[in-house]
PDB file of all heavy atoms in Angstrom:
ATOM      1  N   CYS P   1      49.923 -61.347  28.549  1.00  0.00           N
ATOM      2  CA  CYS P   1      49.070 -61.922  27.539  1.00  0.00           C
ATOM      3  C   CYS P   1      49.586 -63.357  27.113  1.00  0.00           C
ATOM      4  O   CYS P   1      50.729 -63.629  27.212  1.00  0.00           O
ATOM      5  CB  CYS P   1      48.971 -61.029  26.313  1.00  0.00           C
ATOM      6  SG  CYS P   1      48.111 -59.470  26.619  1.00  0.00           S
ATOM      7  N   VAL P   2      48.639 -64.122  26.660  1.00  0.00           N
ATOM      8  CA  VAL P   2      48.918 -65.473  26.144  1.00  0.00           C
ATOM      9  C   VAL P   2      48.375 -65.517  24.732  1.00  0.00           C
ATOM     10  O   VAL P   2      47.252 -65.048  24.449  1.00  0.00           O
ATOM     11  CB  VAL P   2      48.281 -66.534  26.975  1.00  0.00           C
ATOM     12  CG1 VAL P   2      48.408 -67.908  26.340  1.00  0.00           C
ATOM     13  CG2 VAL P   2      48.914 -66.544  28.389  1.00  0.00           C
ATOM     14  N   ASN P   3      49.151 -66.114  23.764  1.00  0.00           N
ATOM     15  CA  ASN P   3      48.635 -66.188  22.381  1.00  0.00           C
ATOM     16  C   ASN P   3      48.395 -67.646  21.934  1.00  0.00           C
ATOM     17  O   ASN P   3      49.051 -68.550  22.428  1.00  0.00           O
ATOM     18  CB  ASN P   3      49.565 -65.462  21.459  1.00  0.00           C
ATOM     19  CG  ASN P   3      50.886 -66.143  21.263  1.00  0.00           C
ATOM     20  OD1 ASN P   3      50.992 -67.108  20.454  1.00  0.00           O
ATOM     21  ND2 ASN P   3      51.928 -65.719  22.014  1.00  0.00           N
ATOM     22  N   LEU P   4      47.481 -67.764  21.039  1.00  0.00           N
ATOM     23  CA  LEU P   4      47.118 -69.040  20.433  1.00  0.00           C
ATOM     24  C   LEU P   4      47.142 -68.882  18.895  1.00  0.00           C
ATOM     25  O   LEU P   4      46.453 -68.004  18.338  1.00  0.00           O
ATOM     26  CB  LEU P   4      45.760 -69.536  20.900  1.00  0.00           C
ATOM     27  CG  LEU P   4      45.182 -70.756  20.216  1.00  0.00           C
ATOM     28  CD1 LEU P   4      46.013 -72.007  20.488  1.00  0.00           C
ATOM     29  CD2 LEU P   4      43.761 -70.934  20.706  1.00  0.00           C
ATOM     30  N   VAL P   5      47.922 -69.746  18.251  1.00  0.00           N
ATOM     31  CA  VAL P   5      48.058 -69.638  16.771  1.00  0.00           C
ATOM     32  C   VAL P   5      47.549 -70.905  16.171  1.00  0.00           C
ATOM     33  O   VAL P   5      47.914 -72.051  16.568  1.00  0.00           O
ATOM     34  CB  VAL P   5      49.503 -69.441  16.299  1.00  0.00           C
ATOM     35  CG1 VAL P   5      49.653 -69.378  14.833  1.00  0.00           C
ATOM     36  CG2 VAL P   5      50.036 -68.119  16.966  1.00  0.00           C
ATOM     37  N   TYR P   6      46.641 -70.746  15.160  1.00  0.00           N
ATOM     38  CA  TYR P   6      46.174 -71.909  14.381  1.00  0.00           C
ATOM     39  C   TYR P   6      46.151 -71.523  12.920  1.00  0.00           C
ATOM     40  O   TYR P   6      45.284 -70.793  12.480  1.00  0.00           O
ATOM     41  CB  TYR P   6      44.832 -72.406  14.829  1.00  0.00           C
ATOM     42  CG  TYR P   6      44.344 -73.624  14.030  1.00  0.00           C
ATOM     43  CD1 TYR P   6      44.968 -74.857  14.201  1.00  0.00           C
ATOM     44  CD2 TYR P   6      43.342 -73.524  13.123  1.00  0.00           C
ATOM     45  CE1 TYR P   6      44.607 -75.921  13.432  1.00  0.00           C
ATOM     46  CE2 TYR P   6      42.934 -74.631  12.369  1.00  0.00           C
ATOM     47  CZ  TYR P   6      43.552 -75.801  12.543  1.00  0.00           C
ATOM     48  OH  TYR P   6      43.157 -76.861  11.776  1.00  0.00           O
ATOM     49  N   VAL P   7      47.171 -71.941  12.196  1.00  0.00           N
ATOM     50  CA  VAL P   7      47.402 -71.578  10.757  1.00  0.00           C
ATOM     51  C   VAL P   7      47.365 -70.091  10.607  1.00  0.00           C
ATOM     52  O   VAL P   7      48.302 -69.433  11.081  1.00  0.00           O
ATOM     53  CB  VAL P   7      46.372 -72.294   9.873  1.00  0.00           C
ATOM     54  CG1 VAL P   7      46.772 -72.190   8.394  1.00  0.00           C
ATOM     55  CG2 VAL P   7      46.173 -73.777  10.260  1.00  0.00           C
ATOM     56  N   TYR P   8      46.356 -69.502  10.110  1.00  0.00           N
ATOM     57  CA  TYR P   8      46.232 -68.036   9.916  1.00  0.00           C
ATOM     58  C   TYR P   8      45.410 -67.334  10.992  1.00  0.00           C
ATOM     59  O   TYR P   8      45.118 -66.109  10.852  1.00  0.00           O
ATOM     60  CB  TYR P   8      45.813 -67.598   8.500  1.00  0.00           C
ATOM     61  CG  TYR P   8      44.580 -68.443   8.047  1.00  0.00           C
ATOM     62  CD1 TYR P   8      43.284 -68.104   8.512  1.00  0.00           C
ATOM     63  CD2 TYR P   8      44.729 -69.473   7.122  1.00  0.00           C
ATOM     64  CE1 TYR P   8      42.226 -68.851   8.102  1.00  0.00           C
ATOM     65  CE2 TYR P   8      43.648 -70.198   6.732  1.00  0.00           C
ATOM     66  CZ  TYR P   8      42.401 -69.872   7.153  1.00  0.00           C
ATOM     67  OH  TYR P   8      41.285 -70.609   6.794  1.00  0.00           O
ATOM     68  N   ASN P   9      44.985 -68.116  11.920  1.00  0.00           N
ATOM     69  CA  ASN P   9      44.197 -67.496  13.024  1.00  0.00           C
ATOM     70  C   ASN P   9      45.071 -67.170  14.247  1.00  0.00           C
ATOM     71  O   ASN P   9      46.011 -67.902  14.524  1.00  0.00           O
ATOM     72  CB  ASN P   9      43.103 -68.520  13.510  1.00  0.00           C
ATOM     73  CG  ASN P   9      42.084 -68.844  12.463  1.00  0.00           C
ATOM     74  OD1 ASN P   9      41.130 -68.106  12.177  1.00  0.00           O
ATOM     75  ND2 ASN P   9      42.286 -69.939  11.775  1.00  0.00           N
ATOM     76  N   LEU P  10      44.804 -66.094  14.867  1.00  0.00           N
ATOM     77  CA  LEU P  10      45.506 -65.657  16.078  1.00  0.00           C
ATOM     78  C   LEU P  10      44.491 -65.180  17.133  1.00  0.00           C
ATOM     79  O   LEU P  10      43.646 -64.355  16.902  1.00  0.00           O
ATOM     80  CB  LEU P  10      46.469 -64.497  15.752  1.00  0.00           C
ATOM     81  CG  LEU P  10      47.125 -63.844  16.964  1.00  0.00           C
ATOM     82  CD1 LEU P  10      48.059 -64.812  17.673  1.00  0.00           C
ATOM     83  CD2 LEU P  10      47.891 -62.580  16.587  1.00  0.00           C
ATOM     84  N   VAL P  11      44.643 -65.756  18.340  1.00  0.00           N
ATOM     85  CA  VAL P  11      43.883 -65.347  19.484  1.00  0.00           C
ATOM     86  C   VAL P  11      44.746 -64.910  20.554  1.00  0.00           C
ATOM     87  O   VAL P  11      45.754 -65.579  20.879  1.00  0.00           O
ATOM     88  CB  VAL P  11      42.944 -66.502  19.948  1.00  0.00           C
ATOM     89  CG1 VAL P  11      42.060 -66.056  21.083  1.00  0.00           C
ATOM     90  CG2 VAL P  11      42.113 -67.086  18.848  1.00  0.00           C
ATOM     91  N   VAL P  12      44.499 -63.742  21.171  1.00  0.00           N
ATOM     92  CA  VAL P  12      45.270 -63.215  22.302  1.00  0.00           C
ATOM     93  C   VAL P  12      44.446 -63.170  23.481  1.00  0.00           C
ATOM     94  O   VAL P  12      43.363 -62.523  23.457  1.00  0.00           O
ATOM     95  CB  VAL P  12      45.914 -61.869  21.924  1.00  0.00           C
ATOM     96  CG1 VAL P  12      46.708 -61.336  23.097  1.00  0.00           C
ATOM     97  CG2 VAL P  12      46.766 -61.951  20.702  1.00  0.00           C
ATOM     98  N   PHE P  13      44.840 -63.792  24.599  1.00  0.00           N
ATOM     99  CA  PHE P  13      44.148 -63.768  25.819  1.00  0.00           C
ATOM    100  C   PHE P  13      44.890 -62.868  26.831  1.00  0.00           C
ATOM    101  O   PHE P  13      46.135 -62.820  26.832  1.00  0.00           O
ATOM    102  CB  PHE P  13      44.034 -65.134  26.476  1.00  0.00           C
ATOM    103  CG  PHE P  13      43.356 -66.166  25.619  1.00  0.00           C
ATOM    104  CD1 PHE P  13      44.076 -66.946  24.750  1.00  0.00           C
ATOM    105  CD2 PHE P  13      41.954 -66.321  25.682  1.00  0.00           C
ATOM    106  CE1 PHE P  13      43.431 -67.880  23.975  1.00  0.00           C
ATOM    107  CE2 PHE P  13      41.296 -67.254  24.967  1.00  0.00           C
ATOM    108  CZ  PHE P  13      42.084 -68.074  24.047  1.00  0.00           C
ATOM    109  N   GLY P  14      44.156 -62.150  27.660  1.00  0.00           N
ATOM    110  CA  GLY P  14      44.763 -61.281  28.620  1.00  0.00           C
ATOM    111  C   GLY P  14      43.729 -60.737  29.618  1.00  0.00           C
ATOM    112  O   GLY P  14      42.534 -60.952  29.448  1.00  0.00           O
ATOM    113  N   THR P  15      44.223 -60.017  30.632  1.00  0.00           N
ATOM    114  CA  THR P  15      43.330 -59.476  31.626  1.00  0.00           C
ATOM    115  C   THR P  15      43.117 -57.990  31.436  1.00  0.00           C
ATOM    116  O   THR P  15      42.375 -57.356  32.177  1.00  0.00           O
ATOM    117  CB  THR P  15      43.917 -59.735  33.011  1.00  0.00           C
ATOM    118  OG1 THR P  15      45.225 -59.186  33.110  1.00  0.00           O
ATOM    119  CG2 THR P  15      43.962 -61.230  33.302  1.00  0.00           C
ATOM    120  N   CYS P  16      43.799 -57.388  30.484  1.00  0.00           N
ATOM    121  CA  CYS P  16      43.703 -55.892  30.201  1.00  0.00           C
ATOM    122  C   CYS P  16      43.321 -55.751  28.771  1.00  0.00           C
ATOM    123  O   CYS P  16      44.039 -56.167  27.833  1.00  0.00           O
ATOM    124  CB  CYS P  16      45.010 -55.230  30.511  1.00  0.00           C
ATOM    125  SG  CYS P  16      45.081 -53.482  30.017  1.00  0.00           S
ATOM    126  N   GLN P  17      42.197 -55.123  28.523  1.00  0.00           N
ATOM    127  CA  GLN P  17      41.678 -54.885  27.158  1.00  0.00           C
ATOM    128  C   GLN P  17      42.630 -54.091  26.340  1.00  0.00           C
ATOM    129  O   GLN P  17      42.842 -54.426  25.161  1.00  0.00           O
ATOM    130  CB  GLN P  17      40.300 -54.202  27.219  1.00  0.00           C
ATOM    131  CG  GLN P  17      39.680 -53.979  25.810  1.00  0.00           C
ATOM    132  CD  GLN P  17      38.308 -53.367  25.894  1.00  0.00           C
ATOM    133  OE1 GLN P  17      37.773 -53.194  26.962  1.00  0.00           O
ATOM    134  NE2 GLN P  17      37.730 -53.076  24.742  1.00  0.00           N
ATOM    135  N   VAL P  18      43.188 -53.035  26.892  1.00  0.00           N
ATOM    136  CA  VAL P  18      44.062 -52.165  26.186  1.00  0.00           C
ATOM    137  C   VAL P  18      45.339 -52.960  25.670  1.00  0.00           C
ATOM    138  O   VAL P  18      45.790 -52.851  24.551  1.00  0.00           O
ATOM    139  CB  VAL P  18      44.518 -50.966  27.051  1.00  0.00           C
ATOM    140  CG1 VAL P  18      45.592 -50.145  26.283  1.00  0.00           C
ATOM    141  CG2 VAL P  18      43.335 -50.109  27.378  1.00  0.00           C
ATOM    142  N   THR P  19      45.863 -53.755  26.560  1.00  0.00           N
ATOM    143  CA  THR P  19      47.092 -54.518  26.236  1.00  0.00           C
ATOM    144  C   THR P  19      46.760 -55.544  25.163  1.00  0.00           C
ATOM    145  O   THR P  19      47.567 -55.738  24.210  1.00  0.00           O
ATOM    146  CB  THR P  19      47.579 -55.280  27.494  1.00  0.00           C
ATOM    147  OG1 THR P  19      47.880 -54.285  28.543  1.00  0.00           O
ATOM    148  CG2 THR P  19      48.851 -56.027  27.145  1.00  0.00           C
ATOM    149  N   VAL P  20      45.660 -56.252  25.230  1.00  0.00           N
ATOM    150  CA  VAL P  20      45.246 -57.229  24.263  1.00  0.00           C
ATOM    151  C   VAL P  20      45.111 -56.583  22.876  1.00  0.00           C
ATOM    152  O   VAL P  20      45.628 -57.042  21.867  1.00  0.00           O
ATOM    153  CB  VAL P  20      43.971 -57.931  24.623  1.00  0.00           C
ATOM    154  CG1 VAL P  20      43.483 -58.848  23.481  1.00  0.00           C
ATOM    155  CG2 VAL P  20      44.210 -58.833  25.840  1.00  0.00           C
ATOM    156  N   ASP P  21      44.409 -55.444  22.847  1.00  0.00           N
ATOM    157  CA  ASP P  21      44.192 -54.716  21.530  1.00  0.00           C
ATOM    158  C   ASP P  21      45.549 -54.254  20.988  1.00  0.00           C
ATOM    159  O   ASP P  21      45.764 -54.340  19.745  1.00  0.00           O
ATOM    160  CB  ASP P  21      43.303 -53.530  21.708  1.00  0.00           C
ATOM    161  CG  ASP P  21      41.823 -53.905  21.831  1.00  0.00           C
ATOM    162  OD1 ASP P  21      41.470 -54.962  21.283  1.00  0.00           O
ATOM    163  OD2 ASP P  21      41.062 -53.178  22.454  1.00  0.00           O
ATOM    164  N   ALA P  22      46.477 -53.835  21.823  1.00  0.00           N
ATOM    165  CA  ALA P  22      47.801 -53.405  21.358  1.00  0.00           C
ATOM    166  C   ALA P  22      48.588 -54.553  20.804  1.00  0.00           C
ATOM    167  O   ALA P  22      49.269 -54.410  19.727  1.00  0.00           O
ATOM    168  CB  ALA P  22      48.561 -52.743  22.563  1.00  0.00           C
ATOM    169  N   GLU P  23      48.529 -55.761  21.351  1.00  0.00           N
ATOM    170  CA  GLU P  23      49.228 -56.880  20.829  1.00  0.00           C
ATOM    171  C   GLU P  23      48.621 -57.338  19.512  1.00  0.00           C
ATOM    172  O   GLU P  23      49.322 -57.754  18.589  1.00  0.00           O
ATOM    173  CB  GLU P  23      49.192 -58.039  21.842  1.00  0.00           C
ATOM    174  CG  GLU P  23      49.949 -57.785  23.128  1.00  0.00           C
ATOM    175  CD  GLU P  23      51.491 -57.541  22.854  1.00  0.00           C
ATOM    176  OE1 GLU P  23      52.000 -58.045  21.863  1.00  0.00           O
ATOM    177  OE2 GLU P  23      52.102 -56.810  23.675  1.00  0.00           O
ATOM    178  N   LEU P  24      47.268 -57.276  19.398  1.00  0.00           N
ATOM    179  CA  LEU P  24      46.626 -57.639  18.188  1.00  0.00           C
ATOM    180  C   LEU P  24      47.022 -56.687  17.039  1.00  0.00           C
ATOM    181  O   LEU P  24      47.240 -57.150  15.904  1.00  0.00           O
ATOM    182  CB  LEU P  24      45.118 -57.616  18.362  1.00  0.00           C
ATOM    183  CG  LEU P  24      44.511 -58.806  19.131  1.00  0.00           C
ATOM    184  CD1 LEU P  24      43.024 -58.547  19.431  1.00  0.00           C
ATOM    185  CD2 LEU P  24      44.626 -60.076  18.361  1.00  0.00           C
TER     186      LEU P  24
END
């Protein structure tokens, strides 16, 4: 996964839905 942070926003990119949800 790759993450993007902007102040209080967080976006997580990935190729596996389960993994992205787990990181979030």
Side-chain angles (χ1 to χ4, degrees):
C1 293
V2 171
N3 70 83
L4 170 65
V5 178
Y6 180 70
V7 194
Y8 44 78
N9 297 278
L10 171 65
V11 183
V12 178
F13 300 93
T15 57
C16 175
Q17 180 177 356
V18 175
T19 304
V20 171
D21 282 336
E23 294 298 332
L24 286 170

